Amino acid sequence: MLNIIIFGAPGSGKGTQSDLIKEKYNLLHLSTGDLLRAEIASGSELGKIADSYISKGQLVPDEMIIEILDNAIEEKEKNGKYNGIILDGFPRTVAQAEALELLIKKRNRDITILLDLMVEENELVERLVNRGKTSGRCDDNLETIKKRLEVYHEKTKPVNDYYKKQNKYTVIDGSGNIDNIFDRVCKVIDIINEDENVAS
Ligand code: ADP
């Protein structure tokens, strides 16, 4: 089982790389951003609350996102057979990393690795501003992007230490061409896969 966390600042390419990774390794892709946007689009009360945070560049409350993720894993795993999961946009706080530990243990699994896509701040801002021209996302404007980056440094980056302590942290150069970045990602995953095959 491959249970991967794809990590990085807003605009670091988590979603793009997740799409490629899930296809190649047959993983269930869970993007908390996508789950929240689906909730907003449904017009539910939960979606309205989520929207009030997202449009300001803030994180939605931990309890809310943990419950949404837990339900999504349950639901989506019923409808498909996967070699593991790829978490995109979660965990985003240390409290979420702790909750994930329980959530994954109760399914008799473990996190395999965290892949941290490293991209320079000016490249991040440029990518997000460009995405904003076509994404229609309420949070892809300069003011909200700046807030999201602030929140990332303050609340999300410390999640790395949590996985460093468990020797599950790997940094990936996330700059440049999408295919080259994907090659770097695959090299790391393939080494893990080989090790797992040797061990079993
Ligand atoms: P990006 O990584 O580019 O910021 P996402 O689609 O992952 O885009 O997230 C968009 C927004 O959704 C975040 O700014 C945040 O408000 C909310 N969100 C997503 N995942 C989480 C999470 N795990 N915890 C709290 N809020 C989240």
Side-chain angles (χ1 to χ4, degrees):
M1 273 260 163
L2 265 180
N3 298 309
I4 299 175
I5 298 170
I6 189 106
F7 194 85
S12 58
K14 301 184 292 288
T16 307
Q17 293 300 323
S18 296
D19 282 339
L20 297 168
I21 298 167
K22 75 159 187 222
E23 285 297 325
K24 177 160 177 182
Y25 299 96
N26 184 34
L27 304 179
L28 169 61
H29 176 206
L30 292 152
S31 155
T32 45
D34 287 349
L35 291 171
L36 289 168
R37 283 185 286 276
E39 197 66 50
I40 294 170
S42 79
S44 70
E45 273 314 305
L46 199 64
K48 283 185 190 128
I49 298 169
D51 191 33
S52 69
Y53 290 95
I54 293 175
S55 57
K56 291 194 210 96
Q58 293 166 350
L59 297 180
V60 308
D62 286 335
E63 312 76 57
M64 185 169 160
I65 195 71
I66 290 160
E67 193 182 330
I68 290 176
L69 181 72
D70 201 8
N71 291 340
I73 297 179
E74 202 66 40
E75 180 88 358
K76 290 182 198 263
E77 285 201 325
K78 270 192 223 147
N79 303 322
K81 192 111 195 70
Y82 302 98
N83 297 330
I85 55 179
I86 178 151
L87 293 170
D88 159 9
F90 187 95
R92 242 180 169 95
T93 62
V94 173
Q96 289 180 16
E98 285 163 357
L100 176 60
E101 197 93 25
L102 300 178
L103 206 144
I104 202 116
K105 285 247 160 74
K106 81 174 179 195
R107 295 179 166 88
N108 287 321
R109 298 191 204 160
D110 213 354
I111 293 298
T112 317
I113 191 99
L114 177 148
L115 303 172
D116 184 10
L117 292 172
M118 197 70 90
V119 180
E120 289 218 12
E121 191 113 344
N122 48 3
E123 189 170 339
L124 292 173
V125 176
E126 196 183 308
R127 286 183 188 180
L128 289 167
V129 170
N130 273 331
R131 184 171 79 184
K133 290 177 191 156
T134 53
S135 70
R137 275 178 52 166
C138 63
D139 55 351
D140 281 345
N141 59 77
L142 199 55
E143 190 190 338
T144 313
I145 290 166
K146 287 199 168 137
K147 179 71 195 162
R148 281 156 67 199
L149 286 168
E150 245 173 60
V151 170
Y152 169 75
H153 285 291
E154 186 191 328
K155 303 220 167 91
T156 306
K157 227 172 180 310
V159 169
N160 281 337
D161 294 328
Y162 188 87
Y163 292 95
K164 275 180 191 160
K165 282 189 201 133
Q166 301 183 15
N167 283 326
K168 289 181 176 168
Y169 174 88
T170 306
V171 65
I172 308 266
D173 176 1
S175 61
N177 169 300
I178 291 174
D179 293 334
N180 291 345
I181 302 165
F182 185 51
D183 281 346
R184 291 176 207 135
V185 167
C186 292
K187 277 205 183 96
V188 174
I189 298 178
D190 290 341
I191 290 171
I192 295 170
N193 263 341
E194 275 169 31
D195 286 353
E196 284 205 346
N197 289 339
V198 170
S200 59

